[in-house]
Amino acid sequence: MLPLIAIDGPAGSGKSTTSRAVAARLGVPYLDTGALYRAIAWTANQRGIDPRNRAGMVKLTENIKLNFTEGETETRVWVDGKEVTGELRTHTVTKMVTPICEIHAVRERLVELQRRWASRGFGVMEGRDIGTVVLPLAPLKVFLTARPEVRAVRRSLDLGIVDDKEALSRLAGELAERDRRDSQRSNSPLRQASDAVVIDNTDLSFNQQVNRILSLAVERFSLKLYGVNS
Ligand code: DC
């Protein structure tokens, strides 16, 4: 069986770095589906479309040309031929993406693109609803999580604001709000698939969590990987 792995989890759980490392070690492609939702938010911002304007958002989603490919360190995304990869992690996009990913038409279009990507049968796909909605038949599903305060500190390290107590507390609040909205939306909420393996990485090192997933893959897909036991 070819290795096709769904990795879900809340913001700041280390999904992206972990998924990328797992994919690199297995020699399969990696897709960060959050980047696609962010690309829609980026476009809405550029065009001045309010995320609450559902009709406007549906039209935008139907009309834009979205291309993506695997980059050295992240999923690269193009909107109507323009590369937007470097512009997807701004505060504005992060704020706009939450209401946008609740819109049914947006999810429908992106889920279709994601399934097409996975149709070759191998790869590591990371997001919020991969194991539950996008690839319900994925042979290996992982739900990665960590305590909220640990996730907030990790995000602040990414942003270089770990010494700023006020910024850290604001970030923790925003993360909690994003978790709440991601988990409570009616359309494809963040939740673990019943057959997902849950890995709480609060007390795990990066290498430990990557190795844990690789061990699962070795076992599930009958692989041989140097230095990894099932
Ligand atoms: O993983 P991220 O922070 O880049 O995701 C951006 C937003 O997109 C986040 O609010 C959750 C949402 N998302 C989603 O709803 N479904 C996915 N499969 C991936 C991301």
Side-chain angles (χ1 to χ4, degrees):
M1 201 191 326
L2 295 169
L4 180 62
I5 308 179
I7 302 188
D8 290 300
S13 59
K15 286 188 310 291
S16 297
T17 43
T18 307
S19 305
R20 213 180 304 127
V22 168
R25 193 68 207 282
L26 294 174
V28 297
Y30 154 75
L31 177 62
D32 163 17
T33 60
L36 307 181
Y37 288 91
R38 286 174 181 272
I40 302 273
W42 178 86
T43 313
N45 185 45
Q46 288 289 309
R47 298 187 187 172
I49 300 172
D50 188 322
R52 287 167 303 187
N53 169 1
R54 296 220 161 203
M57 285 306 307
V58 170
K59 199 157 159 224
L60 178 154
T61 307
E62 281 167 356
N63 294 338
I64 68 168
K65 196 161 155 259
L66 211 54
N67 293 97
F68 53 91
T69 187
E70 185 158 354
E72 282 278 299
T73 56
E74 60 196 333
T75 295
R76 296 175 65 189
V77 187
W78 286 258
V79 172
D80 291 331
K82 173 187 159 53
E83 179 162 16
V84 298
T85 314
E87 297 168 49
L88 300 179
R89 312 237 148 238
T90 62
H91 195 63
T92 310
V93 169
T94 301
K95 277 200 97 75
M96 272 182 91
V97 71
T98 305
I100 285 175
C101 63
E102 289 169 6
I103 301 171
H104 183 72
V106 171
R107 299 205 74 86
E108 216 173 35
R109 165 105 202 266
L110 295 187
V111 166
E112 186 197 319
L113 288 179
Q114 292 159 28
R115 287 192 180 140
R116 209 179 302 152
W117 182 89
S119 63
R120 63 188 125 178
F122 53 90
V124 177
M125 193 188 283
E126 168 247 307
R128 301 292 192 289
D129 61 340
I130 311 304
T132 50
V133 174
V134 182
L135 305 175
L137 299 180
L140 177 57
K141 300 176 186 176
V142 173
F143 191 86
L144 212 55
T145 187
R147 278 205 305 274
E149 62 276 18
V150 172
R151 292 191 281 117
V153 169
R154 285 184 190 152
R155 269 284 146 111
S156 67
L157 280 168
D158 286 347
L159 299 170
I161 55 165
V162 76
D163 294 326
D164 181 343
K165 287 240 155 32
E166 210 174 291
L168 183 60
S169 138
R170 196 171 50 241
L171 195 72
E174 285 172 5
L175 207 76
E177 172 61 10
R178 206 133 75 90
D179 283 356
R180 192 188 63 73
R181 285 188 72 159
D182 283 346
S183 316
Q184 291 181 0
R185 65 172 175 240
S186 56
N187 194 353
S188 303
L190 166 70
R191 68 185 159 77
Q192 66 204 57
S194 56
D195 52 350
V197 179
V198 180
I199 298 179
D200 183 326
N201 62 25
T202 302
D203 299 312
L204 294 182
S205 71
F206 180 69
N207 284 341
Q208 281 173 325
Q209 60 174 317
V210 170
N211 276 329
R212 204 164 279 190
I213 300 174
L214 287 173
S215 303
L216 292 167
V218 160
E219 190 188 337
R220 197 68 49 97
F221 302 108
S222 308
L223 304 172
K224 288 214 187 315
L225 270 188
Y226 182 72
V228 179
N229 299 315
S230 60

